[in-house]
């Protein structure tokens, strides 16, 4: 190969790498989305929460918005709970989950649960929240965050498969994904097939708690 051609190719390669390095760093950085008069602006976030939880604008099961989510999750192990009021298995599982949650937090708050609804109407969703423990929930009108969490952790109802597909689905509902602070899956609890027995696999003392850095 002509030495001059090799020199040109090398310069082009170095130019590409010089551009790609900061671009890749920006792509890997956590982003949040802000809407401004119809335009979408993306900016780097300093939140320690994993996406898409940081976007979900979580509420208490009482319906009250959670203002400081990082503080709320600090020092706890976190499970994302997928369920629906219309699901008989979910209705049977809920009392056991509430009892387990209360026992786990009897001395101090060690566990937090984030509820994600599967195909509920707003009326069903509100009644379902009222029957739950004092944990957190993705709002009913934030379907995008809910669906993203379902796809990320592989839990959605069979009735949702027309919309979400079947690829990556671990189980239907109910199910719980115990996650780490980076959003990685620690344990998947298949309550659809195992019922309350699956809660024996979630031992809070064996899982590093989340830390907000404060």
């Amino acid at each position: 190969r002509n030495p001059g051609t090799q020199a040109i190719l090398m310069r082009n390669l170095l130019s590409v790498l010089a551009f790609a390095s900061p671009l890749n760093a920006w792509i890997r950085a956590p982003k949040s989305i802000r809407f401004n008069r119809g335009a979408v602006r993306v900016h780097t976030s300093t939140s320690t929460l994993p996406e898409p939880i940081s976007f979900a604008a979580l509420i208490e099961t009482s319906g009250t918005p959670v203002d400081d989510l990082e503080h709320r999750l600090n020092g706890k192990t976190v499970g994302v709970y997928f369920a629906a009021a219309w699901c008989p298995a979910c209705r049977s599982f809920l009392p056991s989950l509430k009892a387990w949650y209360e026992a786990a937090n009897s001395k101090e708050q060690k566990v937090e649960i984030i509820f994600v609804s599967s195909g509920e109407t707003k009326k069903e969703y509100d009644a379902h929240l009222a029957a739950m423990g004092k944990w957190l929930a993705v709002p009913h009108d934030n379907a995008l965050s809910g669906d993203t969490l379902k796809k990320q952790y592989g839990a959605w109802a069979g009735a949702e498969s027309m919309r979400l597909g079947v690829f990556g689905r671990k189980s239907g509902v109910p199910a719980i994904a115990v996650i780490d602070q980076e959003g990685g899956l620690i344990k998947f609890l298949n309550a659809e097939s195992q019922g309350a027995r699956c809660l024996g696999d979630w031992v809070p003392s064996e899982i590093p708690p989340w830390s907000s850095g404060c």
Side-chain angles (χ1 to χ4, degrees):
R1 181 177 291 179
N2 189 304
T5 302
Q6 289 181 331
I8 292 171
L9 290 173
M10 181 60 69
R11 283 198 300 270
N12 289 342
L13 177 59
L14 291 175
S15 297
V16 170
L17 292 176
F19 173 76
S21 181
L23 177 63
N24 287 337
W26 183 86
I27 290 172
R28 288 193 299 268
K31 307 292 187 299
S32 62
I33 299 175
R34 291 180 179 173
F35 295 89
N36 182 24
R37 295 184 180 180
V40 179
R41 295 185 289 121
V42 181
H43 68 96
T44 300
S45 171
T46 58
S47 172
T48 61
L49 300 174
E51 300 177 23
I53 288 174
S54 58
F55 300 155
L58 299 183
I59 60 173
E60 308 270 1
T61 49
S62 63
T64 305
V66 179
D67 293 327
D68 191 348
L69 184 58
E70 290 190 52
H71 178 74
R72 174 68 180 261
L73 299 180
N74 185 49
K76 302 177 180 70
T77 63
V78 178
V80 184
Y81 172 48
F82 304 90
W86 51 261
C87 164
C90 299
R91 293 196 299 270
S92 297
F93 178 66
L94 182 57
S96 298
L97 179 59
K98 286 177 64 176
W100 179 90
Y101 177 84
E102 291 168 5
N105 293 323
S106 60
K107 295 183 179 179
E108 61 178 313
Q109 190 83 16
K110 295 180 179 179
V111 171
E112 195 58 80
I113 291 174
I114 300 171
F115 166 63
V116 178
S117 170
S118 283
E120 295 177 310
T121 65
K122 182 62 166 66
K123 184 176 180 180
E124 289 173 330
Y125 174 87
D126 289 342
H128 201 182
L129 285 191
M132 290 186 182
K134 296 180 180 180
W135 49 70
L136 306 178
V138 174
H140 184 267
D141 60 4
N142 196 343
L144 178 60
S145 287
D147 283 355
T148 303
L149 288 164
K150 292 169 190 176
K151 292 289 285 184
Q152 183 166 348
Y153 300 116
W156 59 90
E160 297 177 293
S161 293
M162 184 67 71
R163 185 179 80 257
L164 299 176
V166 295
F167 181 76
R169 184 174 182 259
K170 295 181 177 70
S171 82
V173 293
I176 298 174
V178 182
I179 63 175
D180 63 25
Q181 193 162 345
E182 285 70 46
L185 181 64
I186 297 175
K187 291 181 181 291
F188 186 85
L189 309 182
N190 188 342
E192 181 188 38
S193 63
Q194 299 177 11
R197 288 182 291 116
C198 72
L199 294 171
D201 293 331
W202 187 358
V203 182
S205 62
E206 296 178 356
I207 299 173
W210 287 29
S211 172
S212 65
C214 60

